[in-house]
Structures are given as structure tokens and as C-alpha cells.
């Protein structure tokens, strides 16, 4: 019986080798790291050089956590960029080094530019916490086909005087860029005329953020300076995402953003809209500044901050609101549920999905039951699940 099974297995079709190149390159290799792609070459003779055709290179930090020889990592990156024959759709370099001399970022970006790279994510750092950040080389200005640029904890270069504009760049995300100040930000916005998605996080040098873009659709701001002032001129902006502002004057920022009446989607994650800073101001009425608002997502403590001492009986009309996603933390007074009821009464088209903690206080349960009686299940649905009161920031761009 065992021999029969072995003979049947030997005569069976090798489904692994039968996979087409398109399936391997587009659906498998694009989802794994570069080191795993190279290792796959031993699985089949036909795959021996197939890794050179992969359009996506992901060189991840976790693949080299135990590697102490920086020059070996340097050689792997060089080899990958030199021998890939295909046009690079996506380059993701996330590597930490011990020795600054092993970092040759200018050469790596130049090689990527020769491969006509379209999307580039760079997070190259040093393992020693007190070492200065890696300086992004000016080779990035040679990437004429670049559509998305994501930079994490890496310093920006000065813009060359003879450089024109990024003609194809539509997405820019900056995380932890220490040298990104107001002047440099305006310079970068000037060379990105077709930008549609912009994300800024942990850039503490920004003080007077001036965002002017005729094509910007999506804006994400998080963990910036508490005294940040915001000026905007974005007539096509449709979605904003504000994350983890803590005690910063978020009400002022919301009021600044609300000058763009084209906004349809707002996400507030642990967002403090300034109620504790500006007592007596009914911050909930700031939503009136978004007449086209269709989707509202609120997470955690921002409920307590959105509600003033007394919820206004009138003065809030959101006729276009279609969806409210409410992630409510433990609320002893049940004020968040009261806030949801207020939204439902003032936005007849909205559907509210409420996500509750597993241990829901009794007062919240009672108020939710009252809401369920008042509104049909087609407009109000509740889900109980475990979630963190302070979730990690989720970047839409990544």
C-alpha cells in the first residue's frame, strides 16, 4: 500500500513547477521579502533566474536582525539592484546598520532610478540610538517615474537649483523627518504639483504648516508639534485623518481644515478636539463646517472631547452623512452613546456601527438599548470586541 502511494506521488504532476511566471511574479514574489524570493530559486530549475524579473524588491530589516556584517548586507542590496532586469514598480529598503560607512544610499537610489522605479519606501537607520540620521541623497531627484515616496526617519536633502518638478509623484509620506521645517516643506510642495496623498507624522520641526495644493485629495496628520498652526488651500481635498494628538488644540486644526468644504470623510483617532483646553466651546458643532461630510470615524477618547458640557439641542445638520463608525472605550457616564444618538437624530441618512469593549459598563448597555429601541437595526448596529484604547497608528499609504 505504501509503495503504491509513493508511485502515485512520483507520477503526479509537479504543480509547483507548473505555475506560470505571471502567477509567480505578480501574486507570490510581490508579497514576500527579497531574501525569500532568492531562496525560492532552489525549488525549481525554471525558477533559478526568475527572481531577476521581480518588479518589487522588499529588503526588510527583520531578515538581517542577526546579521553583524554590514558589508554583507551592503553587498546584498547592491546585488539586488544591479541584477534585477525588470522595471521596478516598488522598492522597499528597511535596513539598520552598525557602521555608517556601509550605507551607500545615493548609489542605491541611482540604481533604482535606472530601473525606472515608481514607488519607493526608505527606512535606513543605524542600530545605535545616538547616531545621526541617514541623509537622503540627491539621487532621489533623478527618479523621474516616481509616483509614491515614503520616507521614515531619514533626513531630506536640499533641492538642487536646476531641478524642475516631480511630474508623476502623487503620494508623499514623511515620518520622523527631523530636518523638515516650514521652509523645506513649502519647497517640497512646490516641486510636487500633482500630489494627491500627503501624510506627515512625527515631524516636530514644523510650526506653521502651509498646505497649498490644487490636486490634494487625502491628508493625514499625526504627532506633530502641539503649537502647530495650519493654513490650507486645497479645493479638492476629500478625506482627512487626524491621529493621536493628545492634549494639542485639535479644535483649532479642525476649524482650519474645515475651510475646505469639499471634505467627505473624516477619521479621528484618539483625537482631542480641544474641549479641555477650550471649556464651554461646543466642539461638536465644528462638524457644521463640513456640509458634504459622508463618513465619520471616531476612536476612543475623542468622544469625551467632542462633547461639550451640554449637547446643543439644535444647530447641527448633517444631511449628507451616510456612515458613522464609532470605536468606544470604557465610558462610565455613557456620554459617547448620547453623542451617537445626537448624530443619528441630526443626520437622517446615517448608519452607525458601534464597536464596544468586551467589558461594557452597565450605563452604556442601558443607553444602547434605548437607542436600539429608538432606531431600527438598519441604522444602528453594535459589535463587541477587544481593542486597544491607544491603537498603533495605521498608515494608509503603507
Amino acid at each position: 500500500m505504501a509503495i503504491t502511494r509513493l508511485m502515485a506521488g512520483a507520477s503526479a504532476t509537479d504543480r509547483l513547477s507548473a505555475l506560470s511566471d505571471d502567477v509567480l511574479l505578480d501574486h507570490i514574489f510581490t508579497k514576500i521579502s527579497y531574501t525569500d524570493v532568492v531562496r525560492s530559486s532552489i525549488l525549481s530549475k525554471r525558477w533559478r533566474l526568475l527572481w531577476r524579473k521581480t518588479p518589487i524588491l522588499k529588503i526588510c530589516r527583520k531578515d538581517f536582525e542577526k546579521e553583524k556584517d554590514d558589508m554583507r548586507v551592503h553587498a546584498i542590496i547592491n546585488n539586488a539592484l544591479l541584477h534585477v532586469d525588470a522595471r521596478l514598480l516598488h522598492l522597499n529598503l528597511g535596513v539598520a546598520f552598525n557602521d555608517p560607512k556601509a550605507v551607500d544610499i545615493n548609489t542605491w537610489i541611482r540604481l533604482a532610478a535606472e530601473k525606472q522605479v515608481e514607488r519607493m519606501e526608505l527606512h535606513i537607520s543605524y542600530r545605535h540610538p545616538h547616531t545621526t540620521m541617514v541623509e537622503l541623497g540627491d539621487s532621489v531627484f533623478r527618479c523621474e517615474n516616481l509616483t509614491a515616496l515614503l520616507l521614515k526617519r531619514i533626513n531630506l536633502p536640499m533641492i538642487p537649483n536646476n531641478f524642475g518638478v516631480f511630474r508623476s509623484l502623487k503620494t508623499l509620506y514623511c515620518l520622523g523627518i527631523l530636518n523638515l521645517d516650514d521652509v523645506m516643506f513649502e519647497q517640497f510642495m512646490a516641486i510636487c504639483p500633482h500630489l494627491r496623498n500627503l501624510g506627515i507624522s512625527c515631524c516636530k520641526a514644523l510650526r506653521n504648516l502651509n498646505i497649498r495644493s490644487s490636486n490634494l485629495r487625502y491628508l493625514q496628520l499625526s504627532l506633530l508639534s502641539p503649537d502647530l498652526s495650519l493654513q490650507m488651500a486645497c479645493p479638492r481635498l476629500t478625506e482627512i485623518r487626524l491621529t493621536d494628538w493628545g492634549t494639542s488644540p485639535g479644535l483649532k486644526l479642525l476649524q482650519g481644515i474645515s475651510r475646505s468644504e469639499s471634505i467627505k470623510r473624516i477619521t479621528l483617532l484618539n483625537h482631542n478636539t480641544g474641549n479641555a483646553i477650550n471649556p464651554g466651546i461646543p466642539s461638536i458643532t465644528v462638524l457644521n463646517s463640513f456640509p458634504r461630510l459622508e463618513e465619520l470615524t471616531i476612536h476612543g477618547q475623542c468622544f469625551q472631547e467632542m462633547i461639550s458640557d451640554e449637547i446643543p439641542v439644535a444647530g447641527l445638520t448633517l444631511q449628507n452623512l451616510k456612515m458613522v463608525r464609532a470605536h468606544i472605550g470604557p465610558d462610565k457616564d455613557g456620554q459617547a452613546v448620547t453623542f451617537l444618538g445626537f448624530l443619528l437624530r441630526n443626520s437622517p441618512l446615517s448608519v452607525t456601527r458601534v464597536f464596544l469593549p468586551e467589558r461594557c459598563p452597565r450605563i452604556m448597555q442601558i443607553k444602547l438599548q434605548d437607542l436600539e429601541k429608538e432606531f431600527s437595526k438598519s441604522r444602528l448596529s453594535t459589535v463587541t470586541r477587544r481593542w486597544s484604547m491607544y491603537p498603533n497608528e495605521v498608515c494608509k499609504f503603507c
Side-chain angles (χ1 to χ4, degrees), residues 54-334:
T54 179
I56 294 179
L57 280 181
K58 295 182 181 180
I59 301 179
C60 305
R61 182 170 182 168
K62 64 180 181 180
D63 293 333
F64 302 101
E65 285 181 349
K66 298 180 180 179
E67 181 61 58
K68 296 182 180 180
D69 187 358
D70 285 345
M71 297 312 298
R72 182 175 181 273
V73 178
H74 178 276
I76 290 174
I77 297 176
N78 278 351
N79 182 70
L81 291 170
L82 282 170
H83 293 92
V84 167
D85 299 328
R87 178 176 180 176
L88 270 181
L89 299 179
H90 186 178
L91 172 64
N92 187 343
L93 284 181
V95 187
F97 291 89
N98 293 312
D99 185 5
K101 296 180 180 179
V103 179
D104 194 5
I105 190 170
N106 227 24
T107 300
W108 297 333
I109 296 177
R110 178 177 55 79
L111 291 172
E114 293 175 0
K115 308 293 182 181
Q116 300 180 348
V117 62
E118 295 183 12
R119 180 184 176 94
M120 192 157 55
E121 296 182 45
L122 300 176
H123 183 194
I124 301 174
S125 59
Y126 302 122
R127 289 191 174 95
H128 196 282
H130 300 294
T131 311
T132 57
M133 284 190 177
V134 175
E135 298 286 340
L136 180 64
D138 56 6
S139 292
V140 69
F141 299 108
R142 300 183 184 180
C143 301
E144 299 178 355
N145 301 93
L146 207 60
T147 61
L149 179 61
L150 292 85
L151 304 174
K152 300 180 181 180
R153 295 180 176 87
I154 189 169
N155 282 337
L156 292 174
M158 297 298 294
I159 301 174
N161 294 328
N162 59 348
F163 180 73
V165 295
F166 282 114
R167 300 185 183 278
S168 304
L169 192 66
K170 293 181 173 61
T171 297
L172 176 64
Y173 181 66
C174 299
L175 188 153
I177 310 298
L178 296 184
N179 71 332
L180 181 62
D181 56 13
D182 301 332
V183 175
M184 181 173 286
F185 174 77
E186 292 187 19
Q187 291 174 347
F188 265 83
M189 289 298 294
I191 65 174
C192 304
H194 306 295
L195 203 63
R196 292 191 176 188
N197 306 303
L198 175 64
I200 307 173
S201 178
C202 301
C203 299
K204 302 294 185 178
L206 290 171
R207 290 293 181 270
N208 300 297
L209 192 57
N210 189 3
I211 304 176
R212 297 182 180 274
S213 175
S214 58
N215 294 301
L216 194 66
R217 265 74 164 181
Y218 174 85
L219 175 64
Q220 176 177 320
L221 302 175
S222 62
L223 293 171
L224 301 179
S225 175
D227 57 350
L228 177 74
S229 64
L230 177 64
Q231 295 180 351
M232 292 185 58
C234 305
R236 297 184 180 180
L237 186 66
T238 58
E239 183 174 357
I240 59 174
R241 184 185 181 97
L242 305 177
T243 308
D244 290 335
W245 282 86
T247 58
S248 64
L251 178 59
K252 181 177 68 173
L253 290 176
L254 275 180
Q255 289 172 336
I257 293 173
S258 64
R259 295 169 189 167
S260 177
E261 296 184 354
S262 59
I263 292 176
K264 297 181 179 180
R265 291 175 292 277
I266 297 178
T267 300
L268 305 173
L269 300 183
N270 283 344
H271 187 82
N272 184 326
T273 56
N275 225 36
I277 300 173
N278 303 294
I281 297 179
S283 54
I284 189 176
T285 58
V286 75
L287 295 178
N288 272 335
S289 302
F290 305 96
R292 298 185 182 180
L293 185 63
E294 296 180 0
E295 296 182 14
L296 176 64
T297 302
I298 310 181
H299 194 298
Q301 68 185 30
C302 61
F303 281 99
Q304 285 70 28
E305 306 299 338
M306 281 291 287
I307 306 168
S308 59
D309 295 335
E310 295 182 1
I311 297 179
V313 177
L316 184 67
T317 303
L318 301 171
Q319 295 295 331
N320 294 316
L321 192 62
K322 299 177 181 179
M323 171 63 70
V324 177
R325 299 179 184 88
H327 298 252
I328 304 178
D331 184 2
K332 296 180 180 179
D333 299 326

Side-chain angles (χ1 to χ4, degrees), residues 327-371:
H327 298 252
I328 304 178
D331 184 2
K332 296 180 180 179
D333 299 326
Q335 287 296 312
V337 181
T338 304
F339 170 66
L340 291 176
F342 179 78
L343 281 178
L344 284 168
R345 295 183 189 95
N346 288 274
S347 54
L349 300 179
S350 68
V351 175
T352 302
R353 293 178 180 173
V354 186
F355 299 90
L356 303 170
E358 289 185 352
R359 295 181 180 180
C360 185
R362 180 62 180 169
I363 185 66
M364 289 180 63
Q365 295 178 16
I366 295 174
K367 289 192 174 186
L368 275 173
Q369 290 174 1
D370 293 339
L371 274 184

